[in-house]
Amino acid sequence: MDKILVTGGLGFIGSHTVVELQNEGYEVVIIDDLSNSSIKVLDGITSITGKKPIFEKLDLKEKSKVEDFFKKHSDIKGVIHFAASKAVGESVKEPLLYYENNISTLVYILKELKKLPEASFIFSSSCTVYGQADELPITENAPIKQAESPYGNTKQMGEEIIRDTCKVTQNLKAIALRYFNPVGAHESAKIGELPIGVPQNLVPFITQTAIGLREQLSIFGDDYPTPDGTCIRDYIHVVDLAKAHVVAFKRLLENNNKSNFETFNLGTGKGSSVLEVVHSFERVSGEKLNYEIVGRREGDIISAYADTTKANNELGWKSQLSLDDAMRSAWKWEQVVRG
Ligand SMILES: NC(=O)c1ccc[n+]([C@@H]2O[C@H](COP(=O)([O-])OP(=O)(O)OC[C@H]3O[C@@H](n4cnc5c(N)ncnc54)[C@H](O)[C@@H]3O)[C@@H](O)[C@H]2O)c1
């Protein structure tokens, strides 16, 4: 049973990944400082898998604590590093907070991994590195565009830091997974997305509006050059995304990687417009959503969806669940949380 550290393992994507790792027999140790999650998530994971992961409440910005952790868990085979701050708008207002939390934590972990005889590392990157891509669907070879926010920049810089480190560290193997738009919740409704404050993402905003927490959903612009005029994204079910982490980690453990730093897009390959997401929600929930079309929002990309050929062929991974599945699970989760 290989032991693996999951940082940010009580967060949205981390918690779903811990479930899939435990289902595959890995021994999971979670580090989280609970800055954007709740300790209750640990119970949710335990209830789904029947096994409580080891948990250490620790702020990864505290270098000496990170060093102590690795001394205590020297048998760790690798790390899936989710822990980061992720609110794009906040990152514009508080850039140093983002550079400190997203970059220093990465550096401290890599420094510890360098000391191990062999280590595997998975990094949570984002399709934000592509900006408004010139060609759709977006392949991994699309040019990296100038980041539009400090948050986006931490993902670009993060990838560069890992690439540079891997170049000179033969015992380190890494994969950066570029997520498109993770949505949905575990089908058990025992874990899901728990935004603190006003949701920054479309799907929690939809479910919170439907349950009465928000008055209305604003759709920013319906005059874009897309079939229905609203922006297009690639919404991927969080459980599919979680499973991709297990596959990617196994690839490194079994030395099936082609180089010691690789990147993969994780999406469905299909773009859905904001209105299509709203209609999917209405269809699966039977609720009528209160929404209004308002003016365009500055900085919004018109359309982004993944070319998933590389992940399909190289990782042997493909998303299985539909947008309707995601909306159904997100709605069930919202009802449990507010119930
Ligand atoms: N959700 C998305 O839409 C999306 C898209 C692309 C990439 N990502 C990236 O995926 C990762 C996970 O995203 P998520 O949606 O699960 O976010 P999340 O906020 O739900 O989870 C992140 C977790 O990390 C923890 N954390 C943050 N800073 C920490 C620190 N210094 N020490 C210890 N723990 C810390 C938080 O408490 C939280 O539980 C992030 O790196 C994010 O940037 C997310």
Side-chain angles (χ1 to χ4, degrees), residues 12-13 32-33 35-37 59-60 82 86 101 151 155:
F12 173 43
I13 308 169
D32 205 300
D33 67 352
S35 57
N36 199 36
S37 54
D59 181 351
L60 292 160
F82 292 104
K86 65 164 182 178
N101 200 37
Y151 167 74
K155 294 300 171 192

